[in-house]
């Protein structure tokens, strides 16, 4: 089983093998068989070159019929939320221009030369490719949404790389391990207990390692606890102010916390496309006042904070 390659690097995770296997099944998700058929229908194509830049790209020759087959198979894995990708000329224009987020994050973390990385809530692994481009040695993404794991398998069918993984588990299900850099992007505000999440990020960071937390933030007001939905999302529990996000990181044991970016999310960055045909951010904003969500909360702004784990910290 190919997961053995991951377990050879993280032997303490071997215990999850059965759990991982059980996730890739029709019993776990009613669409699994259809998605697996899509993977099986991906044409055999020979990559000539690969590029892990803004648009994660595989180039190579393909006949018209093969391209139609490729597009149709990839489309079965709709909705594509994180990207962009370009496989043999088939452009996967995802809901999020994730390259824009990466441009806000990457300059503040510098090269990731030789680093081992945990990407919590990795989606389909788009950022993992960018992390490899920045020099990472190994990226382990973890995301319980099976479709995103299968999108990763589809892309990796052509990138053929065993240094960027997407494991179909919840962060809370991972056996302990420590990484040089731990990312949690777009995950914190979905947590019922954000402090427990940050504490767990701390535990998974090597002493002297770094954490990168990207989250919805509110400007200048105490933490927002939406009653009901926020921007039509039902699972937003706590949106901190930027200052509070830094306080929370310190509370978890990190040091040198720095807020490196705050940006308002635009409807150019998150939008419906032919690869994500559901409604998107535009439909979640107040049509008369797009600085507010439909529910009357401040429209989504996102902050990026970086911090370090002390070399000898908290009893280690
Ligand atoms: C808003 S998306 C963010 C994706 C990506 N990190 C980004 O910043 O664009 C949140 C992701 O977290 C995943 N997720 C939800 N619960 C999780 C958990 N308990 N552990 C790990 N990932 C989780 C979701 O499946 C989803 O892909």
């Amino acid at each position: 089983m190919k997961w053995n390659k991951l377990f050879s690097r993280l032997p303490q995770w071997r215990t999850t093998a059965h759990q991982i296997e059980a996730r890739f099944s029709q019993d776990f998700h009613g669409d699994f068989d259809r998605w697996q058929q899509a993977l099986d229908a991906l044409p055999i194509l020979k990559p000539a070159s690969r590029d892990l830049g803004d648009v994660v790209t595989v180039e190579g020759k393909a006949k018209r019929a093969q391209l139609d087959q490729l597009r149709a198979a990839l489309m079965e894995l709709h909705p594509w939320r994180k990207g962009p990708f370009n496989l043999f000329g088939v452009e996967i224009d995802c809901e999020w221009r994730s390259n824009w987020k990466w441009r806000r994050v990457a300059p503040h973390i510098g090269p990731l030369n030789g680093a081992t990385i945990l990407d919590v809530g990795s989606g389909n692994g788009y950022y993992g490719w960018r992390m490899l481009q920045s020099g990472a040695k190994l990226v382990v993404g973890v995301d319980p949404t099976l479709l995103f794991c299968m999108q990763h398998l589809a892309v990796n069918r052509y990138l053929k790389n065993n240094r960027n993984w997407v494991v179909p588990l919840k962060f809370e299900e991972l056996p302990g391990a420590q990484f040089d850099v731990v990312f949690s992007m777009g995950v914190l505000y979905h947590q019922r207990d954000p402090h427990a999440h940050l504490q767990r990020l701390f535990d998974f960071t090597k002493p002297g390692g770094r954490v990168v937390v990207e989250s919805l933030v509110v400007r200048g007001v105490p933490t927002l606890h939406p009653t009901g939905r926020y921007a039509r999302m039902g699972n937003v529990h706590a949106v901190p102010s930027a200052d509070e996000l830094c306080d929370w990181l310190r509370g978890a044991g990190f040091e040198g916390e720095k807020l490196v970016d705050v940006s308002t999310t635009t409807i150019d960055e998150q939008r419906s496309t032919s690869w994500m045909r559901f409604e998107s951010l535009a439909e979640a904003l107040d049509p008369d006042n797009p600085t507010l969500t439909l529910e009357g909360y401040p429209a989504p702004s996102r902050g990026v904070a970086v911090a370090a784990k002390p070399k000898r910290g908290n009893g280690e």
Side-chain angles (χ1 to χ4, degrees):
M1 189 182 71
K2 79 175 179 70
W3 293 98
N4 280 333
K5 286 192 179 149
L6 176 64
F7 299 146
S8 66
R9 289 160 181 192
L10 288 162
Q12 64 276 45
W13 286 16
R14 262 184 213 286
T15 53
T16 63
H18 289 302
Q19 225 173 333
I20 291 176
E21 211 164 313
R23 300 276 154 107
F24 287 102
S25 78
Q26 185 72 12
D27 287 343
F28 180 71
H29 198 293
D31 286 325
F32 172 79
D33 285 347
R34 181 170 62 84
W35 296 334
Q36 184 58 51
Q37 280 163 19
L39 288 187
D40 294 342
L42 288 170
I44 295 170
L45 295 169
K46 198 166 163 224
S49 66
R50 302 171 175 87
D51 180 350
L52 303 183
D54 249 19
V55 181
V56 172
T57 300
V58 179
E59 285 181 339
K61 284 191 188 147
K63 298 195 168 116
R64 178 87 244 153
Q66 290 174 311
L67 287 178
D68 291 346
Q69 196 184 336
L70 176 62
R71 178 184 297 278
L74 293 170
M75 210 38 117
E76 278 298 314
L77 301 177
H78 173 273
W80 286 80
R81 302 233 177 234
K82 312 294 168 176
F85 298 95
N86 187 315
L87 302 177
F88 299 89
V90 174
E91 281 177 47
I92 309 179
D93 184 15
C94 301
E95 177 187 20
W96 282 87
R97 298 187 201 263
S98 309
N99 46 334
W100 292 13
K101 184 188 286 193
W102 188 243
R103 280 183 211 159
R104 293 193 293 269
V105 172
H108 306 288
I109 49 174
L112 294 170
N113 291 343
T116 57
I117 293 185
L118 177 66
D119 183 11
V120 177
S122 60
N124 64 24
Y126 170 82
Y127 297 105
W129 300 117
R130 308 307 311 277
M131 292 168 195
L132 290 187
Q133 185 201 30
S134 290
K137 179 168 73 178
L138 173 69
V139 183
V140 184
V142 55
D143 201 301
T145 304
L146 188 64
L147 173 62
F148 303 155
C149 302
M150 300 195 75
Q151 288 176 351
H152 174 70
L153 294 177
V155 170
N156 204 20
R157 182 70 63 90
Y158 302 111
L159 278 158
K160 294 188 195 303
N161 187 305
N162 60 19
R163 293 189 298 129
N164 180 24
W165 296 80
V166 176
V167 180
L169 296 175
K170 292 182 179 168
F171 183 32
E172 306 77 55
E173 294 173 323
L174 294 182
Q178 290 195 321
F179 296 82
D180 296 315
V181 189
V182 176
F183 286 80
S184 163
M185 301 194 289
V187 177
L188 186 71
Y189 47 88
H190 290 312
Q191 304 301 306
R192 285 187 192 281
D193 184 348
H195 301 287
H197 180 76
L198 293 173
Q199 196 60 60
R200 196 162 169 78
L201 295 177
F202 185 84
D203 294 342
F204 276 75
T205 309
K206 281 185 186 165
R210 288 177 291 163
V211 71
V212 179
V213 177
E214 191 262 4
S215 175
L216 284 173
V217 291
V218 283
R219 291 176 196 253
V221 290
T223 300
L224 171 69
H225 294 281
T227 51
R229 292 179 170 258
Y230 172 87
R232 299 177 75 180
M233 293 182 280
N235 55 352
V236 174
H237 300 295
V239 183
S241 70
D243 285 347
E244 270 167 325
L245 176 57
C246 287
D247 288 349
W248 290 2
L249 281 165
R250 209 163 37 250
F254 291 105
E255 63 183 15
E257 62 285 346
K258 215 156 75 180
L259 185 78
V260 295
D261 187 81
V262 178
S263 303
T264 300
T265 308
T266 67
I267 56 172
D268 283 337
E269 180 170 355
Q270 185 191 9
R271 75 278 192 253
S272 309
T273 69
S274 56
W275 293 86
M276 203 303 289
R277 298 183 298 274
F278 304 139
E279 293 183 341
S280 185
L281 179 60
E283 292 78 22
L285 300 178
D286 180 340
D288 298 323
N289 180 0
T291 68
L292 298 177
T293 67
L294 276 182
E295 304 83 6
Y297 296 118
S301 277
R302 292 175 171 266
V304 181
V306 295
K309 179 164 175 169
K311 285 211 168 73
R312 291 168 60 82
N314 290 9
E316 290 201 55

